[in-house]
Every structure is written in structure tokens, then in C-alpha cells.
Amino acid sequence: MLLATWQRCVDHLRDELPSQQFNTWIRPLQAEASNNGLTLRAPNRFVQEWVKDKFYTRISELVHRHTDGEQVGIFLEVGSRQSARPAVVASAVGDRVAQQPAGQHHQRIFEEDRPSAASAIHMPMSSGAHLSLVEPPDSGGRLAGDALNSDQLADSELKNALAGKSFNGGNQGKRSGRNMELIIEGKLRHKGSLNRENTFDNFIEGKSNQLARAAALQVADNPGGAYNPLFIYGGVGLGKTHLMHAIGNFMLARKPNAKVVYLHSETFVATMVTALQLNAINEFKRYYRSVDALLIDDIQFFAGKERSQEEFFHTFNALLEGGQQIILTSDRYHKEINGLEERLKSRFGWGLSVAVEPPELETRAAILINKAAQSNIELPGDAAMFIAQRLRSHVRELEGALKKVIVHANFVGRKIDLDLVREALRDLFALHEKLVSIDNIQRSVAEYYKIKMSDMLSKRRNRSVARPRQIAMCLAKELTNHSLPEIGDAFGGRDHTTVLHACKQIKKLRGDSQDLAEDYNNLLRALTT
Ligand SMILES: Nc1ncnc2c1ncn2[C@@H]1O[C@H](COP(=O)(O)OP(=O)(O)OP(=O)(O)O)[C@@H](O)[C@H]1O
């Protein structure tokens, strides 16, 4: 019953909050109902405190509303459901919180999940119950690092490695860059070091990345502390790798001798395969376990690579136990990485998980101006806006466009202004017109009507979101080659008849309402010019 109530609160919060905030703070909360009330478990103290400060009042209001005013205690703890033990007993107002030593669970630490709570504070709440804040004890646990044999390696992993295929793929090339170093220790060559150009100073902050940046700064300031691992996730080209390097650079600026190792997950796999071939797996283990911070990019590439996951699992445990910082990026939330072992998924959530979202218009323009300034080029505001309005999906695309503009300006020997930008990017924008995507349409419509992108996919039916959603469906039908079922799918798995109905409805309304017709035409123009 209480769990159903919590689910309703979650639905409310999903609608109310920007998706990034929802994903970072509300989504990781695990609910548990008991006679005492509702216990919400946060993955770490950072999330717990943030939820307490920013969302607690709203959560209690919603719980209150959905239980028809019944007095329900809401407890906010650190931990996860699997590991939850009755470590905290909270009763009536003003009671102290009883604690149970966590030591008895240590044996399970690396088999199951985090140990249970060891220290707690609590505070009275308006509803008459009280809020408990529980901190996990220092982790302890056993380290199991069995060596692997090359014949244990999954066939495809080995074949790919030997063929040098996926390991030298696009992503890795992109990251190798001019700052890559080759460290040779014993038989192994360890590729990968920090890109010194990616710092906090040149990372432009906006609503879309504010939380991720704040979390990254916290970790940089206190590596190996409470937020270990730091898991940064989000779509392509949104600055995850940049933030990861920024943390490493910050650590090195403070402590130049720190051993900060950055690598793409595929490089980890490739090096491990080489180590197995050269009979140097112990050297491999020693190297990765000796770091102060291990930064692994695009961890989703571990999916389906069982032996690599096994090895990483042991490295992960060893680092965490040694208080060394782990930073991971992924294109999706850890629980959503298919083909990743459950024990890794759960560990990735032990620290802090933060999302980066596509930057909003002003941030996109600011990034362009800043990137131009880094090359000592002045990009006028209207020219930056012009590009930012048309390229909405990710920052790498903006960088590409800026490079084209700079090359064109050098070629024709003119100063960069709006006309020059138009000229330089004519082909790119023409291509975009042809390639207008459903995602782009959804974003534009959401931006236009000032609703959340998540509303495009949500089940909410209020007119304020349902109408823009119908307009977006109709535009998708008009501007793309996608079929009705594909469009329905892209709008939160709706049926093709819903799309058809939306198109008919909007067609009729465009005839009936001048305002709506104007909105529709504005959007059409913005998406196609
Ligand atoms: N907020 C920002 N401020 C300045 N530069 C940014 C910002 N976000 C991204 N960039 C730049 O955009 C480019 C792509 O970013 P990055 O490589 O970090 O993306 P990513 O999220 O790791 O993508 P992928 O998933 O493809 O690995 C980099 O050059 C980075 O410096």
C-alpha cells in the first residue's frame, strides 16, 4: 500500500522536476514499507542530504496527499534494499535512533552489496514522525582477485582484441589525442593519460550539467571520499569525458605525483587481453590497483564481455577498499546497461550517479563563444545564437560547426559574422533539414512551449503537455520518414492510432485557432530553416 503511494509520489515528481534532477535525486531512492512508515534509501550521504534539503518537504506533502492525510513516518537512510538490515529503529517523535553494529555483515560486502548503516542522526518532521539520516560505516571486505587464463576468455573478446578491431575504434581514436602517453611497465604498455585541456575552468555550466559539475568538483576536492565511485551518465558528446578529465587535472594540480589513470573501457579490455597473452596478468592487476584514481570512460562497452567484467570487478573492489577514487562514464544509467553483471551494476550505484543532459540554448551559445575564444577568435553573439538554435543535440556537433566556420573565415579572409556563418554552414544546415529527427522535433517543441522534454514521453494528459505532444507527433509525421508506429514508439511507446488521432486533431485545430496555426508554423520554420 505504502509502496503504491510512493510510486504515485514518484510519478508526480517525475512530472514536476527537470528530468536531470529527477534522475539524479529521486530515481535512485529505494522505497521500503514497514509498520513504522516509509523508508527511502539513498545510495549515499550526498544524495541523502540533497534530498533532505531540497525535496523532503515536497515528498512529505505528496505522501500526505496520497494517504488522505494519514500520519506516515518517512525515513531517509543511506543504503540499498538488498543490504538493508533493521539497523535503524525510529519510533515516536524525539526518540533517539538505535544502531546496530555493521561488522556482522562484512563477510557479505563484496558478495551482495553495501554494509548496513553504522551511524545515524535524525530530526523531527512536521507530520509528527521524524526523519533519520543514516551513514554507512567504512567499507571493509574481502578481496578476491583470481588470475584469469587466456583460455577462459570469451572467444569474441579475444578475437576482437587480436584483430585490433573494436579496441581501436572511433571512440578510442577520439580520445587518444595529443596528450596520450604510453607507460611501459614490465611487459605491458599502458595507454592513456589525461587530456590537460579539459578542465573545470573551460567547462561551461548550465542547468543541464550543473549537478554533474558540482558532483565532479566534490570528488576532485575529496577523492576517495564519500562519492566513490562517481558515475556520470548521459548521451553522446555532452561533456562526460570532459568532466572526468577535469577531475583528474584538478587532482594533479593539487598533488602532481598522484597516479591518475584515464582510459577507455575498450583499452582496459585490450590491455587485459594482452596481459593474458603475455602471461602478465599479475602485472596488469598490480598496475591498475596501484592508482590513486582510475577513470574509465564509456563503461557500457563492458556489456557482454564477461571476463573483462570479472577482472574489473576485482580491480573495482580493491580500489574501493584502498580508498582510491573510481570515476566511470556511461551512455546510460548503470541499472540500464544490458549485459552487465548485476553485482557490477549494484556497485556502480554505491557512490554517486549523476546525469548530464543536452545543453539548453544559452549554454550552447556560451560553449561556442568560449570554444572560439580558446582559439583567440571572437564569435559574435548573434552568430553563436544562430548556430546554437540549429544544432541542438550535442556539443561535439557544435565544435564541428565552429571548426567549419573558422576554416571558411580563413579561406575567404573575412571576419566572422552572421553572414559568414550562414555561408560556411549552408550545407550542414541543409543536411540537417533533411535529417530532422524526432528527437530534434521533441526538443524544439518542448523548448517552444517551455515544458520538459520528459513530458513528450510521459503519460500526463493535461492539456498544457498533451497539446504540445500532439503537435510534435504531427510535425514528426510531416517532417520525417518514420512510420506511425515508429513515431508512437518514440513518444513513450504510444500506439500508432494515437499518432493518427494527434495529426487529425492538430490539422483541425490549425483551422480553428489562429494562435495554434501560428505556433505550428513557427515550429515548422525553426525546424526547417
Ligand atoms: N559544458 C561544456 N563546456 C565546454 N565544453 C564542453 C561542454 N560539454 C562538452 N564539451 C566539449 O564537447 C566535446 C565532447 O565532450 P565529451 O567528449 O566530454 O562528451 P562525452 O559526453 O564523453 O561523449 P561520449 O559519450 O561520446 O564519449 C569535448 O570537446 C568537450 O570539451
Side-chain angles (χ1 to χ4, degrees):
M1 175 68 184
L2 266 181
L3 288 182
T5 302
W6 171 242
Q7 195 44 53
R8 257 176 264 143
C9 297
V10 168
D11 291 342
H12 259 275
L13 292 164
R14 185 184 290 111
D15 284 346
E16 282 176 15
L17 297 171
S19 57
Q20 183 201 22
Q21 289 208 16
F22 176 81
N23 286 338
T24 308
W25 309 115
I26 306 298
R27 198 169 167 188
L29 298 177
Q30 295 189 343
E32 214 168 79
S34 68
N35 291 341
N36 295 334
L38 183 67
T39 301
L40 302 177
R41 295 187 199 284
N44 54 59
R45 197 173 163 81
F46 185 79
V47 174
Q48 180 195 44
E49 289 190 344
W50 195 284
V51 171
K52 183 196 89 190
D53 284 353
K54 312 274 182 214
F55 304 114
Y56 188 74
T57 313
R58 184 62 185 144
I59 288 175
S60 21
E61 275 169 17
L62 287 172
V63 171
H64 199 66
R65 189 195 301 172
H66 288 298
T67 50
D68 293 328
E70 199 189 311
Q71 298 278 297
V72 175
I74 305 171
F75 305 90
L76 197 50
E77 299 182 359
V78 170
S80 71
R81 228 177 351 234
Q82 298 98 304
S83 67
R85 300 285 183 279
V88 178
V89 184
S91 53
V93 186
D95 279 359
R96 294 304 304 168
V97 175
Q99 296 167 24
Q100 169 182 311
Q104 66 200 71
H105 306 306
H106 273 187
Q107 220 182 343
R108 296 168 58 90
I109 288 169
F110 288 130
E111 297 301 333
E112 294 289 333
D113 223 312
R114 277 277 197 208
S116 56
S119 67
I121 50 172
H122 76 280
M123 61 187 62
M125 282 163 37
S126 55
S127 64
H130 59 245
L131 169 67
S132 300
L133 301 174
V134 186
E135 211 177 353
D138 290 341
S139 66
R142 69 188 175 81
L143 168 68
D146 303 333
L148 290 168
N149 299 318
S150 52
D151 54 11
Q152 288 177 294
L153 200 71
D155 257 9
S156 56
E157 285 172 59
L158 188 58
K159 273 188 213 137
N160 280 340
L162 297 178
K165 269 188 191 156
S166 60
F167 305 117
N168 296 318
N171 270 319
Q172 214 179 328
K174 174 193 81 192
R175 285 170 218 298
S176 303
R178 65 199 98 131
N179 298 300
M180 213 69 174
E181 281 167 20
L182 203 60
I183 303 149
I184 303 180
E185 280 200 5
K187 297 179 191 172
L188 293 177
R189 291 152 172 249
H190 298 283
K191 255 208 237 167
S193 76
L194 291 175
N195 183 341
R196 296 307 179 101
E197 284 165 19
N198 290 162
T199 62
F200 284 113
D201 285 344
N202 60 22
F203 187 82
I204 305 295
E205 190 178 342
K207 269 194 207 144
S208 53
N209 57 37
Q210 214 165 33
L211 296 174
R213 185 179 178 278
L217 257 174
Q218 290 259 4
V219 167
D221 196 37
N222 183 20
Y227 315 131
N228 203 10
L230 175 66
F231 188 91
I232 308 174
Y233 67 98
V236 292
L238 298 182
K240 303 182 296 291
T241 309
H242 187 131
L243 276 178
M244 187 181 232
H245 284 288
I247 299 171
N249 285 321
F250 189 100
M251 285 175 67
L252 283 181
R254 276 233 180 122
K255 205 173 146 203
N257 291 333
K259 189 167 173 185
V260 177
V261 172
Y262 162 86
L263 73 166
H264 194 264
S265 59
E266 292 180 324
T267 311
F268 183 90
V269 176
T271 315
M272 184 197 74
V273 171
T274 311
L276 291 169
Q277 284 181 306
L278 298 177
N279 211 9
I281 194 70
N282 286 332
E283 189 189 319
F284 174 88
K285 288 176 198 285
R286 237 188 344 266
Y287 178 79
Y288 287 108
R289 292 172 197 187
S290 69
V291 302
D292 292 300
L294 183 61
L295 283 46
I296 301 205
D297 216 351
D298 289 329
I299 201 81
Q300 74 274 6
F301 285 109
F302 275 177
K305 299 189 172 88
E306 286 160 29
R307 294 301 170 195
S308 313
Q309 288 184 33
E310 168 96 17
E311 187 51 47
F312 184 66
F313 173 74
H314 297 306
T315 302
F316 184 100
N317 291 342
L319 292 178
L320 218 62
E321 197 184 14
Q324 296 136 288
Q325 182 68 44
I326 301 165
I327 303 162
L328 307 168
T329 70
S330 165
D331 66 352
R332 68 206 80 166
Y333 189 52
H334 48 83
K335 292 207 172 126
E336 288 162 9
I337 308 178
N338 293 331
L340 198 65
E341 286 179 30
E342 283 306 317
R343 58 183 185 169
L344 272 182
K345 284 189 196 178
S346 105
R347 272 158 185 76
F348 291 171
W350 277 0
L352 181 61
S353 302
V354 277
V356 275
E357 301 263 331
E360 53 293 341
L361 178 66
E362 296 77 6
T363 313
R364 295 198 296 273
I367 289 173
L368 280 165
I369 293 172
N370 190 270
K371 295 270 173 201
Q374 278 176 38
S375 312
N376 293 321
I377 286 167
E378 196 189 326
L379 180 70
D382 58 349
M385 272 300 199
F386 181 80
I387 304 173
Q389 272 160 349
R390 280 154 186 81
L391 304 179
R392 299 182 179 83
S393 52
H394 54 79
V395 181
R396 204 170 286 124
E397 190 181 33
L398 293 175
E399 287 179 335
L402 182 63
K403 271 187 200 143
K404 264 181 161 240
V405 170
I406 296 172
V407 168
H408 187 75
N410 286 340
F411 186 70
V412 295
R414 279 174 29 214
K415 236 180 117 193
I416 297 181
D417 58 14
L418 186 55
D419 282 341
L420 184 127
V421 166
R422 265 191 235 273
E423 246 170 67
L425 300 181
R426 190 174 294 133
D427 292 350
L428 183 71
F429 292 150
L431 190 70
H432 259 262
E433 262 172 54
K434 283 189 206 130
L435 293 179
V436 57
S437 67
I438 299 182
D439 183 68
N440 217 335
I441 293 170
Q442 290 173 329
R443 277 180 206 295
S444 305
V445 176
E447 222 166 76
Y448 188 87
Y449 284 103
K450 307 222 171 333
I451 63 170
K452 286 179 272 159
M453 177 63 185
S454 54
D455 282 331
M456 286 289 156
L457 316 184
S458 78
K459 301 277 174 241
R460 288 182 66 195
R461 290 184 180 180
N462 318 6
R463 180 166 295 180
S464 62
V465 299
R467 190 70 81 227
R469 195 190 294 129
Q470 287 184 321
I471 290 179
M473 285 184 190
C474 194
L475 284 165
K477 164 96 180 18
E478 188 170 340
L479 297 177
T480 73
N481 290 327
H482 289 289
S483 65
L484 293 177
E486 283 171 348
I487 296 174
D489 246 14
F491 282 82
R494 289 180 157 78
D495 198 60
H496 73 280
T497 52
T498 311
V499 183
L500 201 59
H501 173 72
C503 296
K504 283 187 184 154
Q505 180 86 353
I506 296 302
K507 190 171 171 202
K508 180 174 175 311
L509 286 173
R510 282 170 69 192
D512 294 344
S513 152
Q514 211 180 334
D515 282 352
L516 193 133
E518 210 176 297
D519 285 353
Y520 193 88
N521 290 337
N522 285 344
L523 282 161
L524 204 58
R525 213 172 307 120
L527 284 160
T528 53
T529 51

